[in-house]
Amino acid sequence: MASGTLYTYSNNFRAYKVLIAAKYSGSDVKVDPAFEFGVTNKQENFLKKFPQGKVPAFESQNNQYLTESTAIAYFVSSEKLKGSSPYEKALVQQFTSFADNEILPASYAWVYPSLSIAQFNKSSVDRAIEDVKGILEYLNNYLLTRTYLVGERITLADIAVACSLLQLYQHVINPEFKQPYTNVNRWFDTIVNQPTVVDVIGKFEYCQKTAEFNQ
Amino acid sequence: MASGTLYTYSNNFRAYKVLIAAKYSGSDVKVDPAFEFGVTNKQENFLKKFPQGKVPAFESQNNQYLTESTAIAYFVSSEKLKGSSPYEKALVQQFTSFADNEILPASYAWVYPSLSIAQFNKSSVDRAIEDVKGILEYLNNYLLTRTYLVGERITLADIAVACSLLQLYQHVINPEFKQPYTNVNRWFDTIVNQPTVVDVIGKFEYCQKTAEFNQ
Amino acid sequence: MALEILAQEKVWLDKSKYADAERMFYEKQSK
């Protein structure tokens, strides 16, 4: 697995996915402390490596350049994190895709307006809340008989899905909303309290009261 | 690599990704002809296998169930299609993510209003068109010195990115719009005219005139 | 600072609208 430098701003849940995977795998991935979002990723020599100027972006010790957080997470991961059998590997990819394609769009559509970083529009927030309920319902049923999402130990599936849920649990999912989803809450709490995960994201603070939408 | 049954509606560009990958890999993947979108995927025994009722959905010969088109494409693919070195494998994943996370949102936001499948909203269509220009610009520069996206032969990267561009080239990218992107046009034309790809999607018809938006 | 940065990230805020439209279109076609 690859070691190298990760370019990102701090508190980027996409970068957390990479850093947690790297820590579990024992690969040496350092965040560049000099990186300044909006400045560094607009400079000539950054754009030569990463033409789209997007972060997280990864530069391996052998000067290999990579973007897209899920691809970077795989690149720095040990085989153990990717699932053992071909079917488990496929399930890990199913969940990393599910996190990107299903959870994130619902999370953006609820969290961003609640943080006033996107336009508030009642019908689309209500729709996003319904989507989040559907996602938690699905995961809750799936986790009824499972400790982890794939196989008997933590994999990239758990890391990717948990990281994609961070902003929801941190900003909008209050104790009353999450009450019905006991299996997901147990699973999520297990993941964010793993010492390796705490090393990366610190002590996780759950949302106590959902931010009121200022119209 | 896995063989089995794919559940999807016809003309689903996500399913094409799976079927093309399977054909290149020699794995036997059949579309269930009895599947009726909106009916079958709401039935009890389908939902038992695929609780979210989403397609494409895959059932292997060993009764292994999988959703998320990129995960299914990997599951039915030979090693050859996934990239050879660890870095090539990572680049293949970068491009499959890029297709899902960057190309599809821009494609939806331009193509669906133009087909009157989704509401027309001038500012979001204009933004989508700018996003598509950015994507084609990036791919055009990247393909200046390359025949394929990763390594010296076709991989899942080419298949995933080409499939995510199908609706754009078919419905809205007219000859004038695509004129500056000669490397992408050459690459795309190479892919959609591969006999294996023609077997799956048929003869590709390029957009000649962008549909006028009926407000 | 974090919120300003988040605000600069291009995120997919209206996926569900297109996903619904796509589903309805292809359900109709399927019939």
Side-chain angles (χ1 to χ4, degrees):
Chain A
M1 65 263 176
S3 295
T5 304
L6 191 67
Y7 300 100
T8 179
Y9 52 83
S10 50
N11 290 331
N12 182 352
F13 64 88
R14 293 178 198 78
Y16 284 157
K17 189 164 54 177
V18 175
L19 297 170
I20 294 167
K23 234 176 214 334
Y24 270 108
S25 307
S27 42
D28 173 22
V29 175
K30 291 243 174 340
V31 173
D32 175 7
F35 178 85
E36 196 188 334
F37 187 75
V39 177
T40 317
N41 56 318
K42 293 200 165 98
Q43 285 164 350
E44 179 66 20
N45 65 348
F46 186 90
L47 291 170
K48 245 195 250 121
K49 298 174 194 172
F50 309 105
Q52 307 216 30
K54 284 183 180 298
V55 291
F58 181 72
E59 177 171 1
S60 80
Q61 272 154 356
N62 323 350
N63 301 326
Q64 296 160 328
Y65 308 123
L66 197 64
T67 55
E68 296 293 332
S69 60
T70 300
I72 302 171
Y74 266 91
F75 196 35
V76 304
S77 287
S78 60
E79 285 315 300
K80 233 171 48 201
L81 276 190
K82 299 175 187 174
S84 37
S85 70
Y87 182 47
E88 279 197 1
K89 286 181 197 298
L91 285 171
V92 170
Q93 287 197 292
Q94 173 189 289
F95 280 108
T96 55
S97 279
F98 176 70
D100 285 340
N101 299 340
E102 302 299 327
I103 301 178
L104 285 188
S107 175
Y108 295 141
W110 185 6
V111 172
Y112 280 40
S114 81
L115 297 178
S116 307
I117 48 179
Q119 189 98 36
F120 173 79
N121 160 320
K122 185 157 177 8
S123 67
S124 56
V125 170
D126 289 347
R127 172 56 205 272
I129 292 172
E130 288 314 305
D131 286 347
V132 171
K133 284 179 184 168
I135 287 163
L136 293 180
E137 182 70 26
Y138 161 64
L139 288 173
N140 203 55
N141 295 331
Y142 186 85
L143 286 162
L144 182 64
T145 58
R146 292 178 176 89
T147 309
Y148 295 108
L149 288 172
V150 179
E152 299 311 313
R153 63 174 164 225
I154 198 164
T155 64
L156 270 178
D158 303 290
I159 296 169
V161 172
C163 285
S164 68
L165 291 169
L166 284 176
Q167 291 190 327
L168 284 164
Y169 270 105
Q170 188 181 348
H171 297 296
V172 290
I173 294 182
N174 60 36
E176 186 212 343
F177 183 93
K178 69 183 171 189
Q179 193 277 325
Y181 311 109
T182 48
N183 306 321
V184 188
N185 299 335
R186 167 192 39 78
W187 164 81
F188 183 81
D189 207 55
T190 306
I191 303 295
V192 296
N193 286 304
Q194 300 275 330
T196 307
V197 177
V198 174
D199 270 359
V200 173
I201 71 172
K203 178 91 190 76
F204 185 75
E205 302 294 333
Y206 284 97
C207 165
Q208 294 311 320
K209 192 176 170 321
T210 311
E212 292 307 311
F213 287 109
N214 50 355
Q215 306 276 347
Chain B
M1 64 261 177
S3 293
T5 304
L6 190 68
Y7 300 101
T8 179
Y9 48 81
S10 45
N11 288 329
N12 183 351
F13 62 88
R14 292 179 198 76
Y16 284 155
K17 187 164 53 175
V18 175
L19 297 170
I20 293 167
K23 232 174 213 343
Y24 270 108
S25 307
S27 44
D28 173 21
V29 174
K30 291 244 171 341
V31 172
D32 175 8
F35 179 83
E36 191 187 339
F37 189 49
V39 177
T40 317
N41 57 313
K42 289 182 178 149
Q43 285 163 352
E44 180 66 21
N45 64 347
F46 187 91
L47 291 170
K48 248 198 244 112
K49 298 175 195 169
F50 308 105
Q52 307 216 32
K54 287 184 184 291
V55 292
F58 181 72
E59 177 171 0
S60 80
Q61 272 154 356
N62 323 351
N63 301 324
Q64 295 161 327
Y65 307 123
L66 198 64
T67 55
E68 295 293 332
S69 60
T70 299
I72 301 170
Y74 265 91
F75 196 34
V76 303
S77 285
S78 58
E79 285 314 302
K80 234 173 36 180
L81 276 189
K82 299 175 187 175
S84 35
S85 69
Y87 183 45
E88 279 197 3
K89 286 182 197 298
L91 285 172
V92 170
Q93 286 197 293
Q94 172 189 290
F95 280 107
T96 54
S97 281
F98 176 71
D100 285 341
N101 300 340
E102 304 297 326
I103 301 178
L104 280 195
S107 176
Y108 272 142
W110 186 8
V111 173
Y112 286 3
S114 81
L115 296 180
S116 307
I117 296 178
Q119 204 149 20
F120 173 80
N121 161 317
K122 183 153 179 18
S123 68
S124 59
V125 170
D126 289 346
R127 201 171 42 241
I129 292 173
E130 286 315 304
D131 289 347
V132 171
K133 285 178 183 168
I135 287 162
L136 293 180
E137 182 70 25
Y138 161 63
L139 288 173
N140 202 54
N141 295 332
Y142 186 85
L143 285 162
L144 183 64
T145 58
R146 292 177 174 90
T147 308
Y148 295 107
L149 289 172
V150 180
E152 299 309 316
R153 62 172 166 227
I154 199 165
T155 64
L156 270 178
D158 304 290
I159 295 168
V161 172
C163 286
S164 68
L165 290 170
L166 282 176
Q167 292 192 320
L168 284 164
Y169 269 106
Q170 189 179 349
H171 296 297
V172 291
I173 294 183
N174 60 36
E176 186 212 343
F177 184 92
K178 68 183 172 189
Q179 193 277 325
Y181 313 109
T182 49
N183 306 320
V184 189
N185 299 334
R186 167 190 41 78
W187 164 82
F188 183 81
D189 206 55
T190 305
I191 303 296
V192 294
N193 285 303
Q194 300 277 326
T196 307
V197 177
V198 174
D199 271 358
V200 173
I201 71 172
K203 177 93 189 74
F204 185 75
E205 302 293 333
Y206 283 98
C207 166
Q208 294 310 321
K209 190 178 173 316
T210 311
E212 291 307 311
F213 287 108
N214 51 352
Q215 304 278 352
Chain C
M1 178 55 179
L3 287 194
E4 277 141 49
I5 291 183
L6 284 185
Q8 291 174 50
E9 288 259 53
K10 195 160 66 71
V11 293
W12 203 359
L13 284 164
D14 50 5
K15 177 189 180 184
S16 58
K17 183 175 86 173
Y18 294 110
D20 282 353
E22 180 181 68
R23 180 174 47 74
M24 285 187 272
F25 176 76
Y26 285 104
E27 280 184 354
K28 230 185 295 168
Q29 278 219 329
S30 243
K31 282 195 176 55

